[in-house]
Amino acid sequence: MQTIKNILRNINQNRIFLIMVLPGALWFLFFSYLPMFGTVIAFKDYRFSRDGFLASLQQSEWVGFKNFEYLFSTNDAYVITRNTIVYNVVFIVLGLIFAVGMAIILSEIVNKRLAKVYQTGMFLPYFLSWVIVGYFTFSFLSVDKGVMNQLLTWMGKDPVSWYADTTYWPYILVFLNMWKGIGYSSVVYLAAIVGIDKTYYEAAMIDGANKWQQIRNITLPFITPLITILTLLAIGRIFYADFGLFYQIPRDSGPLYAVTNVIDTYVYRGLKATGEISMSTAAGLYQSLVGFVLVMTSNWVVRKFNKDNALF
Amino acid sequence: MRTKKHRDVHHLSPGLNVLFNIIAGGFALLCVFPFIFVIIISLTSEASLNKNGYAFWPEEWSFAAYEYIFKAGDQLLRSYGVTIMITIVGTLISLIVIALYAYAISRKNFTYRNFFSFIAFFTMLFNGGLVPTYMVVTQVLHLKDTVWALILPLIMNAFYVLILRTFYNTTVPDAIIESAKIDGAGELRAFFTIVLPISLPGIATIGLFATLGFWNDWFNALLYIDNPALVPLQSMLMRIENSMQFLLSNAQLSSSGQSLELLRTLPQEATRMALVVLATVPIACAYPFFQRYFVQGLTIGAVKE
Amino acid sequence: MAKAKKWLMMTFCLVMVASLVLTGCGGNKNEAGSGADAGTPEKPVELVWYTIGTPQKDVDKVMEKVSEYTKEKIGVTIKMKMFDWGDYNQKMGVIAASGEPYDIAFTCSWAFDYVTNAKKGAFYDLTELVDKYGQGIKDALHPSFLEGAKIDGKLYAIPVNKELPAQKVFRYNKTLVDKYKLDVNSVKTLEDLEPLLAAVKKGESGVYPLSAGKDFKFDLPMDLVNENLPLGVRLDDKGDLKLQNLFEQPEVTKHLDTMFKYYKAGYLKQDAATATTGDEQKTGKWLVDMPQTQPFADTMWTDSYGYGIESHPAEDPYVYNWSVTGSMMGVSANSKYPEKAMQFLNLLNTDKYLRNLVNNGIEGEHFKRLAEDRIEYLPAKQEGYDMPQFTLGNFFILDKLPTDPDNKWDEFKKFNDAAKNAPLLGFNFDGSSLKTEIAALQNVREEFYPSIFTGSVDPKVYVPRMMEKLKAAGLDKVQAEMQTQLDAWKASKK
């Protein structure tokens, strides 16, 4: 009885906050949590029933973890897991450095109008789909008509068969990912830097701090919470790869699979003929679970250092 | 007057300023370059594209692609209309819902803040997958073939919520809110009169992201919209792109006699690039609107005055 | 302030109630109707028909006309929904999986896959309904069509009556053939092409005479169980139906070596293994390629490329499962009116007026009648009703266009009658117990096939490497299961 009373009192005390979260919470309920029941598909051999989706779910046979097996069954499993993780780690680290760096640079540039022009420019790649970006990379890397090979020949070097040679692809993919994403991700940091109280810098200048010291002692500490959160969230997606980047850009070229095959492309190729939704759901669940475990661990570590910076 | 003060604040040495300009300008150029290329290709005649591939200075310029699109006419205008409508309405609703949610979970005196943070975060990782979501949207919420199917699924986004929460936490010291409350303001009033103005850059960022999200969305339209009057611009573009890919990469179809007849009906390369231009230019122009709010000087002091 | 709070509280309650109501609504499902006696000219039922193709703006207008007719005839009205080529798979996949009701859908071997979806239970079993309402279809269709469309003895979709077999040809760019006075009649195999390729390579700079993209395949001596796996039965099989490996066939080995030789000699473009076909056809910078043919293909190709094309057979025509299932119409397992749907399909495939209406649109608006069975398209046809005819039903009752020869459909019939049945016609492998292996095998296939078949890599090195990976991915297990099913099928056929 006492506890119920307590809860009611708590609810009453928090009612203004509860009202604030209500629309969002309802949204999560309908668009995220209600569909989540569908995840059981991953453990079933999904067949269609005449009586609609729920009946199909019910009547399909339980198969345990069978739908997950293909993710682990072959040597490819190692390759795709390694590629996915390594690329994502590189993307997270470099993305962080470049995005923060670019945000600081943009915030420091004296001519604000120019800075805005640059910023707008950097945003444009975000609008081009990977398919379109793929056309461009191809016009650069095509064996006979590509700009790169014409350049190499002109310099007296041998042309490279770009779409058959794995050597350069890790760099190409990382470069393109940075190129496409920096404009977008630096905006968040820029907005945070812009929000820093100017009096801090004024005080620092009076103390004779140089630019570097100002960045290190004011700007960076100020945006650390944001960096932490964004990194934590990125870690949660570490098992998800950007399908377009790894499929469209290398033109699905077989000889490059060793460095371009990631979980998402593997699942796509494996299931495109059969369209097994049980197996694709299983893959998604697996990717989420790993991400979840990693975030929870990292979050726990973050909490040890600074409770305020943690996700929860 | 104001800008002068800022220059003082940052006090960047001229050398460093030039270096920064070179880095940022160089990178921006690298980013703009393909886009200019897209524009050039959209203005290249199909014959020279076939003959020479992409070229910076095409052998033959042509407006044929744009003529082709505008001849098809009303669909394009209608799609523009749909996109603009869902972008504006969607962003507004989205901002309200997200800003409130994020504010509540940023407040330390909200007992359930961790619970609601977790609820949001969890949806970033786990989702029910395509078919269950489709079921909920079509059969529980009955949104199929309505404009709400393009808006509601994108209203909330845990990623934005958590970013904005961080913005509130870092830019708005608890002390100000407390002092406002001592002055007799409730949480809501404190939120609207103090928190919102201070965290404007953060709100603008989320607004920008939400706008882009609505503008670029094509997948919800693919799933839920059959009525051509409700097809947004990006969806129209993606439809063409996907169909192109499908017809070209479908081994069985492309080696059969039928594929020719089908490929004939697809827009040519220049046309597809023209569609990219038409879909991107308006939203790229909207960008500076959000930049307005990235102004330095909206400090706590300014609010106190 | 207090007012605002109350107001908010109210909204909260309203939202709560609204959501409850919504959830409640979702609960009660569509009440099942009995389809048999519904649907009369006075009270017609509506059939929803999903089909593939770029949505056309006059579809509703034409379907109104169609409905007028079908209402009288069989008591149904038709609502057609088109999904664009690239969307169809995804949309139908979701619709089928979610059990959303519809009646008729386009299905085939390359989009909304017929066999897999039929096995999962997406389609209504039409075996009995065809006997009851589909006599017209049975009379019109070549028997091999229905044979090849059956899965475990049951029919789940009605094939479109069109060209039946598949046959690869050597297709030549006539401009270059004439310029270099090449003897194309002497070419019977891939190997025979060499002097022609060499001549063109020498004479034309910047031309890669053998045009091939990532999906390129030469003529294969086998009927494959699954297009994506290298397992099948030889076309010259004598009836013992023994599964063999594609890459162990002497012809294949020889052709692969030849391709590698051609590639090294520069007869193919260097990026053939990642290229999509069709680019050089636009520019005319090619000599020969190997597509599938159909009657009057040369004329059709010449018309669309704008320069002369001629082709010569590279293999005998055979009727395969996949050529039969290249275009079909299925009835949804969730359809409330399967019988009506079957009646409609029968009418569509046998009624000249209806079939032409669906294909060509409305007379006077989309086309003009020139003679009894000959029409001419008007501009509105291309603008508002440009339909892919091979997805919409029986070819043989279609009106001819001004450019079509008089004997068009006779030639199609001849082409169909001349074809032999491939050994596995009617056999469909059920891979549901081997999904793990099949997913892994698909990946190996994607990795190696394009490079190997375009000759981009040395087959002596890469074929063994691929085989090793295929075996590791479970090829033998799949082969054993396939053989078991095949043996059972063989026994059932006797």
Side-chain angles (χ1 to χ4, degrees), chain B residues 198-244:
Chain B
I198 295 180
S199 45
L200 212 50
I203 304 253
T205 310
I206 301 306
L208 173 68
F209 286 178
T211 306
L212 298 179
F214 282 107
W215 187 274
N216 282 338
D217 175 60
W218 55 273
F219 197 68
N220 285 311
L222 164 73
L223 282 182
Y224 306 123
I225 301 296
D226 294 339
N227 181 355
L230 289 177
V231 174
L233 199 61
Q234 289 289 351
S235 171
M236 199 177 128
L237 189 67
M238 281 314 278
R239 232 167 232 192
I240 292 168
E241 206 56 69
N242 284 343
S243 296
M244 192 87 185

Short mmCIF file of all heavy atoms in Angstrom, two decimals, chain B residues 198-244:
data_model
loop_
_atom_site.label_atom_id
_atom_site.label_comp_id
_atom_site.label_asym_id
_atom_site.label_seq_id
_atom_site.Cartn_x
_atom_site.Cartn_y
_atom_site.Cartn_z
N ILE B 198 18.28 29.99 -24.75
CA ILE B 198 19.70 29.70 -24.57
C ILE B 198 20.13 28.56 -25.48
O ILE B 198 21.21 28.58 -26.06
CB ILE B 198 20.02 29.32 -23.11
CG1 ILE B 198 19.76 30.54 -22.22
CG2 ILE B 198 21.48 28.92 -22.98
CD1 ILE B 198 20.05 30.26 -20.78
N SER B 199 19.28 27.56 -25.61
CA SER B 199 19.73 26.40 -26.38
C SER B 199 19.31 26.49 -27.84
O SER B 199 19.21 25.48 -28.52
CB SER B 199 19.18 25.12 -25.74
OG SER B 199 17.84 25.29 -25.42
N LEU B 200 19.08 27.71 -28.31
CA LEU B 200 18.67 27.88 -29.69
C LEU B 200 19.60 27.20 -30.71
O LEU B 200 19.11 26.57 -31.65
CB LEU B 200 18.53 29.37 -29.99
CG LEU B 200 17.45 29.73 -31.00
CD1 LEU B 200 16.13 29.07 -30.66
CD2 LEU B 200 17.29 31.23 -31.10
N PRO B 201 20.92 27.30 -30.57
CA PRO B 201 21.76 26.60 -31.56
C PRO B 201 21.48 25.10 -31.58
O PRO B 201 21.44 24.49 -32.65
CB PRO B 201 23.18 26.88 -31.07
CG PRO B 201 23.08 28.10 -30.25
CD PRO B 201 21.72 28.07 -29.62
N GLY B 202 21.27 24.54 -30.40
CA GLY B 202 20.97 23.10 -30.34
C GLY B 202 19.65 22.79 -31.00
O GLY B 202 19.54 21.87 -31.82
N ILE B 203 18.63 23.60 -30.70
CA ILE B 203 17.32 23.40 -31.32
C ILE B 203 17.43 23.55 -32.83
O ILE B 203 16.85 22.77 -33.59
CB ILE B 203 16.31 24.43 -30.78
CG1 ILE B 203 16.25 24.34 -29.26
CG2 ILE B 203 14.95 24.26 -31.45
CD1 ILE B 203 15.05 23.71 -28.68
N ALA B 204 18.19 24.55 -33.27
CA ALA B 204 18.35 24.76 -34.70
C ALA B 204 19.01 23.55 -35.35
O ALA B 204 18.64 23.15 -36.44
CB ALA B 204 19.19 26.01 -34.96
N THR B 205 19.99 22.97 -34.65
CA THR B 205 20.65 21.78 -35.20
C THR B 205 19.65 20.65 -35.39
O THR B 205 19.58 20.04 -36.45
CB THR B 205 21.76 21.29 -34.23
OG1 THR B 205 22.56 22.41 -33.90
CG2 THR B 205 22.59 20.22 -34.87
N ILE B 206 18.88 20.40 -34.34
CA ILE B 206 17.90 19.32 -34.44
C ILE B 206 16.86 19.66 -35.50
O ILE B 206 16.45 18.81 -36.29
CB ILE B 206 17.21 19.10 -33.07
CG1 ILE B 206 18.25 18.73 -32.01
CG2 ILE B 206 16.16 18.01 -33.17
CD1 ILE B 206 19.11 17.56 -32.36
N GLY B 207 16.48 20.93 -35.57
CA GLY B 207 15.53 21.36 -36.60
C GLY B 207 16.09 21.09 -37.98
O GLY B 207 15.39 20.60 -38.87
N LEU B 208 17.35 21.40 -38.14
CA LEU B 208 18.01 21.16 -39.43
C LEU B 208 18.00 19.67 -39.76
O LEU B 208 17.63 19.27 -40.87
CB LEU B 208 19.45 21.68 -39.37
CG LEU B 208 20.33 21.36 -40.56
CD1 LEU B 208 19.85 22.12 -41.79
CD2 LEU B 208 21.78 21.69 -40.28
N PHE B 209 18.39 18.86 -38.79
CA PHE B 209 18.42 17.43 -39.03
C PHE B 209 17.03 16.89 -39.36
O PHE B 209 16.87 16.07 -40.27
CB PHE B 209 18.98 16.68 -37.81
CG PHE B 209 20.46 16.85 -37.63
CD1 PHE B 209 21.11 16.29 -36.55
CD2 PHE B 209 21.21 17.56 -38.55
CE1 PHE B 209 22.48 16.43 -36.39
CE2 PHE B 209 22.58 17.72 -38.39
CZ PHE B 209 23.21 17.15 -37.30
N ALA B 210 16.06 17.36 -38.61
CA ALA B 210 14.70 16.89 -38.85
C ALA B 210 14.24 17.30 -40.24
O ALA B 210 13.65 16.51 -40.99
CB ALA B 210 13.75 17.43 -37.79
N THR B 211 14.54 18.55 -40.60
CA THR B 211 14.17 19.02 -41.94
C THR B 211 14.77 18.13 -43.01
O THR B 211 14.09 17.69 -43.94
CB THR B 211 14.67 20.46 -42.14
OG1 THR B 211 14.18 21.25 -41.07
CG2 THR B 211 14.19 21.02 -43.46
N LEU B 212 16.07 17.87 -42.86
CA LEU B 212 16.73 17.02 -43.85
C LEU B 212 16.12 15.63 -43.85
O LEU B 212 15.96 15.02 -44.90
CB LEU B 212 18.22 16.92 -43.54
CG LEU B 212 18.98 18.23 -43.60
CD1 LEU B 212 20.44 18.01 -43.26
CD2 LEU B 212 18.86 18.83 -44.98
N GLY B 213 15.80 15.14 -42.65
CA GLY B 213 15.21 13.81 -42.56
C GLY B 213 13.90 13.73 -43.33
O GLY B 213 13.68 12.81 -44.10
N PHE B 214 13.05 14.74 -43.15
CA PHE B 214 11.78 14.73 -43.86
C PHE B 214 11.99 14.93 -45.36
O PHE B 214 11.35 14.29 -46.18
CB PHE B 214 10.85 15.82 -43.32
CG PHE B 214 10.19 15.44 -42.03
CD1 PHE B 214 10.57 16.01 -40.83
CD2 PHE B 214 9.18 14.49 -42.02
CE1 PHE B 214 9.96 15.64 -39.64
CE2 PHE B 214 8.56 14.12 -40.84
CZ PHE B 214 8.96 14.70 -39.65
N TRP B 215 12.88 15.83 -45.68
CA TRP B 215 13.11 16.13 -47.09
C TRP B 215 13.65 14.91 -47.84
O TRP B 215 13.26 14.62 -48.95
CB TRP B 215 14.07 17.31 -47.22
CG TRP B 215 14.22 17.77 -48.63
CD1 TRP B 215 15.08 17.26 -49.57
CD2 TRP B 215 13.48 18.78 -49.29
NE1 TRP B 215 14.92 17.90 -50.75
CE2 TRP B 215 13.95 18.84 -50.62
CE3 TRP B 215 12.47 19.66 -48.89
CZ2 TRP B 215 13.44 19.75 -51.54
CZ3 TRP B 215 11.97 20.56 -49.82
CH2 TRP B 215 12.45 20.60 -51.12
N ASN B 216 14.58 14.22 -47.21
CA ASN B 216 15.23 13.11 -47.89
C ASN B 216 14.50 11.79 -47.80
O ASN B 216 14.90 10.82 -48.42
CB ASN B 216 16.64 12.90 -47.32
CG ASN B 216 17.61 13.91 -47.86
OD1 ASN B 216 17.37 14.49 -48.91
ND2 ASN B 216 18.69 14.14 -47.15
N ASP B 217 13.46 11.73 -46.99
CA ASP B 217 12.83 10.43 -46.79
C ASP B 217 12.14 9.93 -48.05
O ASP B 217 11.39 10.66 -48.68
CB ASP B 217 11.79 10.51 -45.67
CG ASP B 217 11.04 9.20 -45.56
OD1 ASP B 217 11.71 8.18 -45.31
OD2 ASP B 217 9.82 9.18 -45.74
N TRP B 218 12.41 8.72 -48.39
CA TRP B 218 11.70 8.11 -49.52
C TRP B 218 11.14 6.74 -49.14
O TRP B 218 10.23 6.24 -49.75
CB TRP B 218 12.64 7.94 -50.71
CG TRP B 218 13.87 7.16 -50.37
CD1 TRP B 218 15.04 7.68 -49.86
CD2 TRP B 218 14.08 5.76 -50.49
NE1 TRP B 218 15.94 6.66 -49.65
CE2 TRP B 218 15.38 5.47 -50.03
CE3 TRP B 218 13.29 4.70 -50.95
CZ2 TRP B 218 15.90 4.19 -50.00
CZ3 TRP B 218 13.81 3.42 -50.91
CH2 TRP B 218 15.12 3.18 -50.45
N PHE B 219 11.68 6.18 -48.07
CA PHE B 219 11.32 4.80 -47.75
C PHE B 219 9.89 4.68 -47.25
O PHE B 219 9.17 3.75 -47.62
CB PHE B 219 12.31 4.25 -46.72
CG PHE B 219 12.26 2.75 -46.65
CD1 PHE B 219 12.72 2.00 -47.72
CD2 PHE B 219 11.76 2.10 -45.55
CE1 PHE B 219 12.67 0.61 -47.68
CE2 PHE B 219 11.71 0.72 -45.50
CZ PHE B 219 12.16 -0.03 -46.56
N ASN B 220 9.46 5.62 -46.43
CA ASN B 220 8.08 5.58 -45.95
C ASN B 220 7.10 5.72 -47.10
O ASN B 220 6.06 5.06 -47.11
CB ASN B 220 7.83 6.67 -44.91
CG ASN B 220 8.47 6.32 -43.59
OD1 ASN B 220 8.29 5.23 -43.09
ND2 ASN B 220 9.25 7.23 -43.05
N ALA B 221 7.49 6.55 -48.06
CA ALA B 221 6.61 6.69 -49.21
C ALA B 221 6.57 5.39 -50.00
O ALA B 221 5.52 4.98 -50.48
CB ALA B 221 7.10 7.83 -50.10
N LEU B 222 7.71 4.76 -50.11
CA LEU B 222 7.75 3.48 -50.83
C LEU B 222 6.81 2.48 -50.19
O LEU B 222 6.06 1.77 -50.86
CB LEU B 222 9.18 2.93 -50.83
CG LEU B 222 9.34 1.45 -51.20
CD1 LEU B 222 9.12 1.24 -52.68
CD2 LEU B 222 10.68 0.91 -50.80
N LEU B 223 6.83 2.44 -48.87
CA LEU B 223 6.02 1.44 -48.17
C LEU B 223 4.55 1.80 -48.13
O LEU B 223 3.69 0.95 -48.34
CB LEU B 223 6.52 1.30 -46.73
CG LEU B 223 7.78 0.50 -46.51
CD1 LEU B 223 8.08 0.43 -45.03
CD2 LEU B 223 7.64 -0.91 -47.07
N TYR B 224 4.26 3.04 -47.84
CA TYR B 224 2.89 3.36 -47.46
C TYR B 224 2.09 4.13 -48.50
O TYR B 224 0.90 4.30 -48.32
CB TYR B 224 2.89 4.15 -46.14
CG TYR B 224 3.64 3.47 -45.02
CD1 TYR B 224 4.70 4.08 -44.37
CD2 TYR B 224 3.29 2.18 -44.65
CE1 TYR B 224 5.38 3.43 -43.35
CE2 TYR B 224 3.97 1.52 -43.64
CZ TYR B 224 5.01 2.16 -43.00
OH TYR B 224 5.69 1.51 -42.00
N ILE B 225 2.74 4.64 -49.52
CA ILE B 225 2.01 5.52 -50.43
C ILE B 225 1.84 4.88 -51.81
O ILE B 225 2.82 4.54 -52.47
CB ILE B 225 2.76 6.87 -50.60
CG1 ILE B 225 2.91 7.55 -49.24
CG2 ILE B 225 2.02 7.77 -51.57
CD1 ILE B 225 1.63 7.96 -48.57
N ASP B 226 0.61 4.71 -52.22
CA ASP B 226 0.33 4.24 -53.58
C ASP B 226 -0.24 5.37 -54.44
O ASP B 226 -0.10 5.37 -55.65
CB ASP B 226 -0.70 3.10 -53.57
CG ASP B 226 -0.14 1.86 -52.90
OD1 ASP B 226 1.10 1.74 -52.82
OD2 ASP B 226 -0.93 1.02 -52.43
N ASN B 227 -0.88 6.30 -53.78
CA ASN B 227 -1.53 7.40 -54.47
C ASN B 227 -0.49 8.37 -55.05
O ASN B 227 0.28 8.96 -54.30
CB ASN B 227 -2.42 8.12 -53.46
CG ASN B 227 -3.16 9.26 -54.07
OD1 ASN B 227 -2.94 9.60 -55.25
ND2 ASN B 227 -4.03 9.88 -53.30
N PRO B 228 -0.44 8.52 -56.37
CA PRO B 228 0.60 9.36 -56.97
C PRO B 228 0.54 10.80 -56.48
O PRO B 228 1.55 11.51 -56.50
CB PRO B 228 0.33 9.27 -58.47
CG PRO B 228 -0.95 8.56 -58.64
CD PRO B 228 -1.29 7.87 -57.36
N ALA B 229 -0.63 11.24 -56.02
CA ALA B 229 -0.75 12.63 -55.57
C ALA B 229 0.00 12.85 -54.26
O ALA B 229 0.19 13.98 -53.84
CB ALA B 229 -2.21 13.00 -55.40
N LEU B 230 0.42 11.79 -53.60
CA LEU B 230 1.10 11.94 -52.31
C LEU B 230 2.57 11.52 -52.35
O LEU B 230 3.21 11.40 -51.32
CB LEU B 230 0.38 11.10 -51.24
CG LEU B 230 -0.99 11.58 -50.80
CD1 LEU B 230 -1.59 10.61 -49.82
CD2 LEU B 230 -0.88 12.96 -50.17
N VAL B 231 3.08 11.32 -53.55
CA VAL B 231 4.47 10.86 -53.63
C VAL B 231 5.43 12.04 -53.50
O VAL B 231 5.37 12.97 -54.31
CB VAL B 231 4.73 10.13 -54.95
CG1 VAL B 231 6.20 9.80 -55.12
CG2 VAL B 231 3.90 8.87 -55.02
N PRO B 232 6.30 12.03 -52.50
CA PRO B 232 7.24 13.14 -52.37
C PRO B 232 8.38 13.05 -53.38
O PRO B 232 8.57 12.03 -54.04
CB PRO B 232 7.77 13.00 -50.94
CG PRO B 232 7.39 11.66 -50.48
CD PRO B 232 6.40 11.07 -51.42
N LEU B 233 9.12 14.13 -53.45
CA LEU B 233 10.15 14.29 -54.48
C LEU B 233 11.23 13.21 -54.43
O LEU B 233 11.56 12.58 -55.43
CB LEU B 233 10.78 15.66 -54.28
CG LEU B 233 11.53 16.23 -55.45
CD1 LEU B 233 10.61 16.39 -56.64
CD2 LEU B 233 12.11 17.59 -55.06
N GLN B 234 11.80 13.01 -53.25
CA GLN B 234 12.89 12.04 -53.15
C GLN B 234 12.42 10.65 -53.50
O GLN B 234 13.17 9.85 -54.05
CB GLN B 234 13.46 12.01 -51.72
CG GLN B 234 14.24 13.23 -51.34
CD GLN B 234 15.56 13.31 -52.05
OE1 GLN B 234 15.98 12.37 -52.72
NE2 GLN B 234 16.23 14.43 -51.92
N SER B 235 11.19 10.37 -53.16
CA SER B 235 10.66 9.07 -53.46
C SER B 235 10.55 8.88 -54.97
O SER B 235 10.86 7.82 -55.50
CB SER B 235 9.30 8.94 -52.80
OG SER B 235 8.68 7.78 -53.22
N MET B 236 10.15 9.94 -55.63
CA MET B 236 10.06 9.90 -57.09
C MET B 236 11.44 9.60 -57.67
O MET B 236 11.61 8.77 -58.55
CB MET B 236 9.58 11.27 -57.54
CG MET B 236 9.01 11.35 -58.90
SD MET B 236 8.45 13.06 -59.13
CE MET B 236 9.25 13.44 -60.66
N LEU B 237 12.43 10.29 -57.12
CA LEU B 237 13.80 10.13 -57.58
C LEU B 237 14.31 8.71 -57.33
O LEU B 237 14.91 8.07 -58.19
CB LEU B 237 14.67 11.13 -56.82
CG LEU B 237 16.09 11.33 -57.22
CD1 LEU B 237 16.14 11.96 -58.59
CD2 LEU B 237 16.78 12.25 -56.22
N MET B 238 14.06 8.23 -56.12
CA MET B 238 14.55 6.91 -55.75
C MET B 238 13.86 5.83 -56.57
O MET B 238 14.45 4.83 -56.91
CB MET B 238 14.30 6.63 -54.27
CG MET B 238 15.28 7.27 -53.33
SD MET B 238 16.99 7.08 -53.81
CE MET B 238 17.32 5.45 -53.19
N ARG B 239 12.60 6.06 -56.87
CA ARG B 239 11.86 5.10 -57.67
C ARG B 239 12.55 4.90 -59.00
O ARG B 239 12.76 3.79 -59.46
CB ARG B 239 10.46 5.65 -57.92
CG ARG B 239 9.40 4.67 -57.57
CD ARG B 239 8.07 5.33 -57.52
NE ARG B 239 7.43 5.02 -56.28
CZ ARG B 239 6.15 5.27 -56.02
NH1 ARG B 239 5.42 5.85 -56.92
NH2 ARG B 239 5.65 4.95 -54.87
N ILE B 240 12.91 6.02 -59.61
CA ILE B 240 13.57 5.94 -60.90
C ILE B 240 14.91 5.25 -60.77
O ILE B 240 15.26 4.35 -61.53
CB ILE B 240 13.72 7.36 -61.48
CG1 ILE B 240 12.35 7.91 -61.82
CG2 ILE B 240 14.63 7.35 -62.68
CD1 ILE B 240 12.33 9.38 -62.13
N GLU B 241 15.66 5.66 -59.75
CA GLU B 241 16.99 5.10 -59.53
C GLU B 241 16.91 3.59 -59.27
O GLU B 241 17.64 2.79 -59.87
CB GLU B 241 17.61 5.83 -58.32
CG GLU B 241 19.11 5.88 -58.30
CD GLU B 241 19.69 6.50 -59.56
OE1 GLU B 241 19.54 7.72 -59.78
OE2 GLU B 241 20.29 5.75 -60.31
N ASN B 242 16.01 3.20 -58.38
CA ASN B 242 15.86 1.78 -58.05
C ASN B 242 15.44 0.95 -59.26
O ASN B 242 15.95 -0.14 -59.47
CB ASN B 242 14.79 1.58 -56.96
CG ASN B 242 15.32 1.98 -55.61
OD1 ASN B 242 16.53 2.09 -55.42
ND2 ASN B 242 14.43 2.21 -54.67
N SER B 243 14.52 1.50 -60.02
CA SER B 243 14.03 0.74 -61.16
C SER B 243 15.13 0.57 -62.19
O SER B 243 15.29 -0.48 -62.79
CB SER B 243 12.84 1.45 -61.79
OG SER B 243 11.79 1.46 -60.86
N MET B 244 15.89 1.62 -62.37
CA MET B 244 17.04 1.57 -63.27
C MET B 244 17.98 0.45 -62.85
O MET B 244 18.37 -0.39 -63.65
CB MET B 244 17.75 2.91 -63.13
CG MET B 244 18.75 3.15 -64.16
SD MET B 244 17.88 3.88 -65.53
CE MET B 244 19.22 3.95 -66.65
#
